[in-house]
Amino acid sequence: FKEGTSNRFYAILDPLTDTLASYPMTESDLKKVSSGSEFNLWNEYPDKKGWYVQFSDFGTTDEKVVSQAVLLLDSLTVVTFDPEASADECNPGSGYAREYSFHFRTGGGSGRVIGTGIPQAPRYSFDQSGSGLVVRQTFDSLWVEKTTGYGSLKRILQWKER
């Protein structure tokens, strides 16, 4: 953790082409959505090629993404850790764990404190009917909650007519 850095999370639209003509990118190629705006794929592409969040816009100073992002349905979840300024470097519980959920296409979303210490990425478990659970864990807590299942999205993928 480097103090005083303004950390970010980037979501870049893959054009699904064989060419790399649009690379390299800079932040000016992306839309900043941490100020409450959203990325509108239909109106802003190809001028903007994705979106990004700057965590200092949420009032934190040293907040870092500490795990891989998890995409489930249309929700992109990111967990972060924001160490306390006077934290003991040997105490992993000295700071706040946050979870942010963003719409993967627009970047719209929200965040919340989920505990103290360094969090793990949420883990999901679904049964055959599509009902699900999400497991969240931080340094000092573990909890399991029901989550939106994918059961309503199940459809026949293949059929054969006679």
mmCIF file of all heavy atoms in Angstrom, residues 6-25:
data_model
loop_
_atom_site.group_PDB
_atom_site.id
_atom_site.type_symbol
_atom_site.label_atom_id
_atom_site.label_comp_id
_atom_site.label_asym_id
_atom_site.label_seq_id
_atom_site.Cartn_x
_atom_site.Cartn_y
_atom_site.Cartn_z
ATOM 1 N N SER A 6 -3.947 7.817 -5.584
ATOM 2 C CA SER A 6 -5.363 7.856 -5.912
ATOM 3 C C SER A 6 -5.672 6.612 -6.740
ATOM 4 O O SER A 6 -5.376 6.567 -7.933
ATOM 5 C CB SER A 6 -5.678 9.131 -6.688
ATOM 6 O OG SER A 6 -7.050 9.211 -6.936
ATOM 7 N N ASN A 7 -6.226 5.607 -6.102
ATOM 8 C CA ASN A 7 -6.417 4.317 -6.747
ATOM 9 C C ASN A 7 -7.719 4.263 -7.524
ATOM 10 O O ASN A 7 -8.688 4.930 -7.206
ATOM 11 C CB ASN A 7 -6.357 3.223 -5.695
ATOM 12 C CG ASN A 7 -4.957 3.133 -5.145
ATOM 13 O OD1 ASN A 7 -4.091 2.593 -5.785
ATOM 14 N ND2 ASN A 7 -4.743 3.717 -3.974
ATOM 15 N N ARG A 8 -7.719 3.385 -8.558
ATOM 16 C CA ARG A 8 -8.825 3.317 -9.492
ATOM 17 C C ARG A 8 -9.164 1.869 -9.820
ATOM 18 O O ARG A 8 -8.352 0.971 -9.621
ATOM 19 C CB ARG A 8 -8.452 4.033 -10.781
ATOM 20 C CG ARG A 8 -8.207 5.518 -10.605
ATOM 21 C CD ARG A 8 -7.380 6.042 -11.766
ATOM 22 N NE ARG A 8 -7.279 7.475 -11.787
ATOM 23 C CZ ARG A 8 -6.416 8.183 -11.071
ATOM 24 N NH1 ARG A 8 -5.587 7.587 -10.252
ATOM 25 N NH2 ARG A 8 -6.387 9.493 -11.149
ATOM 26 N N PHE A 9 -10.375 1.690 -10.384
ATOM 27 C CA PHE A 9 -10.784 0.403 -10.941
ATOM 28 C C PHE A 9 -11.269 0.686 -12.354
ATOM 29 O O PHE A 9 -12.064 1.594 -12.577
ATOM 30 C CB PHE A 9 -11.908 -0.231 -10.109
ATOM 31 C CG PHE A 9 -12.377 -1.534 -10.671
ATOM 32 C CD1 PHE A 9 -11.668 -2.690 -10.409
ATOM 33 C CD2 PHE A 9 -13.495 -1.594 -11.474
ATOM 34 C CE1 PHE A 9 -12.084 -3.900 -10.951
ATOM 35 C CE2 PHE A 9 -13.920 -2.797 -12.011
ATOM 36 C CZ PHE A 9 -13.206 -3.951 -11.749
ATOM 37 N N TYR A 10 -10.793 -0.112 -13.326
ATOM 38 C CA TYR A 10 -11.103 0.118 -14.739
ATOM 39 C C TYR A 10 -11.952 -1.015 -15.308
ATOM 40 O O TYR A 10 -11.699 -2.181 -15.022
ATOM 41 C CB TYR A 10 -9.815 0.207 -15.560
ATOM 42 C CG TYR A 10 -8.920 1.355 -15.165
ATOM 43 C CD1 TYR A 10 -7.916 1.189 -14.221
ATOM 44 C CD2 TYR A 10 -9.093 2.605 -15.733
ATOM 45 C CE1 TYR A 10 -7.093 2.244 -13.862
ATOM 46 C CE2 TYR A 10 -8.278 3.661 -15.377
ATOM 47 C CZ TYR A 10 -7.280 3.479 -14.440
ATOM 48 O OH TYR A 10 -6.476 4.528 -14.086
ATOM 49 N N ALA A 11 -12.924 -0.662 -16.135
ATOM 50 C CA ALA A 11 -13.706 -1.631 -16.910
ATOM 51 C C ALA A 11 -13.602 -1.202 -18.369
ATOM 52 O O ALA A 11 -14.071 -0.124 -18.746
ATOM 53 C CB ALA A 11 -15.159 -1.653 -16.460
ATOM 54 N N ILE A 12 -12.960 -2.040 -19.179
ATOM 55 C CA ILE A 12 -12.676 -1.685 -20.564
ATOM 56 C C ILE A 12 -13.487 -2.570 -21.492
ATOM 57 O O ILE A 12 -13.502 -3.793 -21.344
ATOM 58 C CB ILE A 12 -11.168 -1.810 -20.851
ATOM 59 C CG1 ILE A 12 -10.421 -0.831 -19.950
ATOM 60 C CG2 ILE A 12 -10.872 -1.560 -22.318
ATOM 61 C CD1 ILE A 12 -8.937 -0.937 -19.987
ATOM 62 N N LEU A 13 -14.155 -1.948 -22.440
ATOM 63 C CA LEU A 13 -14.969 -2.658 -23.416
ATOM 64 C C LEU A 13 -14.060 -3.315 -24.441
ATOM 65 O O LEU A 13 -13.221 -2.663 -25.055
ATOM 66 C CB LEU A 13 -15.914 -1.673 -24.101
ATOM 67 C CG LEU A 13 -16.866 -2.236 -25.134
ATOM 68 C CD1 LEU A 13 -17.842 -3.203 -24.473
ATOM 69 C CD2 LEU A 13 -17.616 -1.113 -25.810
ATOM 70 N N ASP A 14 -14.218 -4.609 -24.607
ATOM 71 C CA ASP A 14 -13.441 -5.340 -25.594
ATOM 72 C C ASP A 14 -14.170 -5.247 -26.931
ATOM 73 O O ASP A 14 -15.295 -5.705 -27.064
ATOM 74 C CB ASP A 14 -13.307 -6.802 -25.167
ATOM 75 C CG ASP A 14 -12.394 -7.599 -26.071
ATOM 76 O OD1 ASP A 14 -12.064 -7.116 -27.172
ATOM 77 O OD2 ASP A 14 -12.004 -8.709 -25.683
ATOM 78 N N PRO A 15 -13.539 -4.670 -27.964
ATOM 79 C CA PRO A 15 -14.225 -4.520 -29.249
ATOM 80 C C PRO A 15 -14.396 -5.827 -30.015
ATOM 81 O O PRO A 15 -15.055 -5.857 -31.045
ATOM 82 C CB PRO A 15 -13.316 -3.555 -30.016
ATOM 83 C CG PRO A 15 -11.976 -3.744 -29.412
ATOM 84 C CD PRO A 15 -12.207 -4.092 -27.967
ATOM 85 N N LEU A 16 -13.812 -6.917 -29.518
ATOM 86 C CA LEU A 16 -13.926 -8.235 -30.138
ATOM 87 C C LEU A 16 -13.461 -8.243 -31.590
ATOM 88 O O LEU A 16 -14.078 -8.840 -32.457
ATOM 89 C CB LEU A 16 -15.370 -8.753 -30.039
ATOM 90 C CG LEU A 16 -15.906 -8.926 -28.624
ATOM 91 C CD1 LEU A 16 -17.370 -9.334 -28.673
ATOM 92 C CD2 LEU A 16 -15.090 -9.926 -27.836
ATOM 93 N N THR A 17 -12.373 -7.547 -31.828
ATOM 94 C CA THR A 17 -11.763 -7.555 -33.155
ATOM 95 C C THR A 17 -10.338 -8.060 -33.043
ATOM 96 O O THR A 17 -9.771 -8.124 -31.960
ATOM 97 C CB THR A 17 -11.749 -6.144 -33.773
ATOM 98 O OG1 THR A 17 -10.933 -5.302 -32.952
ATOM 99 C CG2 THR A 17 -13.150 -5.581 -33.899
ATOM 100 N N ASP A 18 -9.754 -8.384 -34.162
ATOM 101 C CA ASP A 18 -8.380 -8.872 -34.174
ATOM 102 C C ASP A 18 -7.357 -7.746 -34.169
ATOM 103 O O ASP A 18 -6.177 -7.977 -34.044
ATOM 104 C CB ASP A 18 -8.143 -9.751 -35.414
ATOM 105 C CG ASP A 18 -8.934 -11.041 -35.344
ATOM 106 O OD1 ASP A 18 -9.262 -11.471 -34.221
ATOM 107 O OD2 ASP A 18 -9.225 -11.608 -36.407
ATOM 108 N N THR A 19 -7.824 -6.539 -34.314
ATOM 109 C CA THR A 19 -6.898 -5.417 -34.386
ATOM 110 C C THR A 19 -6.671 -4.794 -33.013
ATOM 111 O O THR A 19 -7.547 -4.783 -32.174
ATOM 112 C CB THR A 19 -7.412 -4.339 -35.361
ATOM 113 O OG1 THR A 19 -6.473 -3.264 -35.371
ATOM 114 C CG2 THR A 19 -8.764 -3.796 -34.939
ATOM 115 N N LEU A 20 -5.486 -4.282 -32.808
ATOM 116 C CA LEU A 20 -5.175 -3.571 -31.569
ATOM 117 C C LEU A 20 -5.047 -2.077 -31.844
ATOM 118 O O LEU A 20 -4.334 -1.369 -31.166
ATOM 119 C CB LEU A 20 -3.877 -4.113 -30.963
ATOM 120 C CG LEU A 20 -3.921 -5.562 -30.492
ATOM 121 C CD1 LEU A 20 -2.556 -6.010 -29.990
ATOM 122 C CD2 LEU A 20 -4.952 -5.747 -29.403
ATOM 123 N N ALA A 21 -5.742 -1.593 -32.860
ATOM 124 C CA ALA A 21 -5.619 -0.207 -33.291
ATOM 125 C C ALA A 21 -6.012 0.784 -32.201
ATOM 126 O O ALA A 21 -5.536 1.906 -32.194
ATOM 127 C CB ALA A 21 -6.465 0.026 -34.532
ATOM 128 N N SER A 22 -6.881 0.406 -31.276
ATOM 129 C CA SER A 22 -7.329 1.341 -30.248
ATOM 130 C C SER A 22 -6.459 1.314 -28.995
ATOM 131 O O SER A 22 -6.789 1.937 -28.011
ATOM 132 C CB SER A 22 -8.778 1.034 -29.883
ATOM 133 O OG SER A 22 -8.894 -0.270 -29.374
ATOM 134 N N TYR A 23 -5.356 0.603 -29.042
ATOM 135 C CA TYR A 23 -4.476 0.513 -27.881
ATOM 136 C C TYR A 23 -3.159 1.195 -28.208
ATOM 137 O O TYR A 23 -2.740 1.202 -29.352
ATOM 138 C CB TYR A 23 -4.240 -0.958 -27.524
ATOM 139 C CG TYR A 23 -5.518 -1.659 -27.132
ATOM 140 C CD1 TYR A 23 -6.227 -2.409 -28.051
ATOM 141 C CD2 TYR A 23 -6.014 -1.534 -25.847
ATOM 142 C CE1 TYR A 23 -7.408 -3.037 -27.693
ATOM 143 C CE2 TYR A 23 -7.203 -2.160 -25.486
ATOM 144 C CZ TYR A 23 -7.889 -2.906 -26.425
ATOM 145 O OH TYR A 23 -9.060 -3.507 -26.068
ATOM 146 N N PRO A 24 -2.447 1.767 -27.288
ATOM 147 C CA PRO A 24 -2.786 1.816 -25.862
ATOM 148 C C PRO A 24 -3.866 2.857 -25.574
ATOM 149 O O PRO A 24 -4.102 3.757 -26.364
ATOM 150 C CB PRO A 24 -1.464 2.229 -25.212
ATOM 151 C CG PRO A 24 -0.760 3.015 -26.266
ATOM 152 C CD PRO A 24 -1.170 2.406 -27.576
ATOM 153 N N MET A 25 -4.492 2.717 -24.418
ATOM 154 C CA MET A 25 -5.537 3.632 -23.977
ATOM 155 C C MET A 25 -5.007 4.500 -22.849
ATOM 156 O O MET A 25 -4.080 4.119 -22.146
ATOM 157 C CB MET A 25 -6.741 2.864 -23.445
ATOM 158 C CG MET A 25 -7.575 2.220 -24.471
ATOM 159 S SD MET A 25 -9.047 1.563 -23.657
ATOM 160 C CE MET A 25 -9.630 0.508 -24.940
#
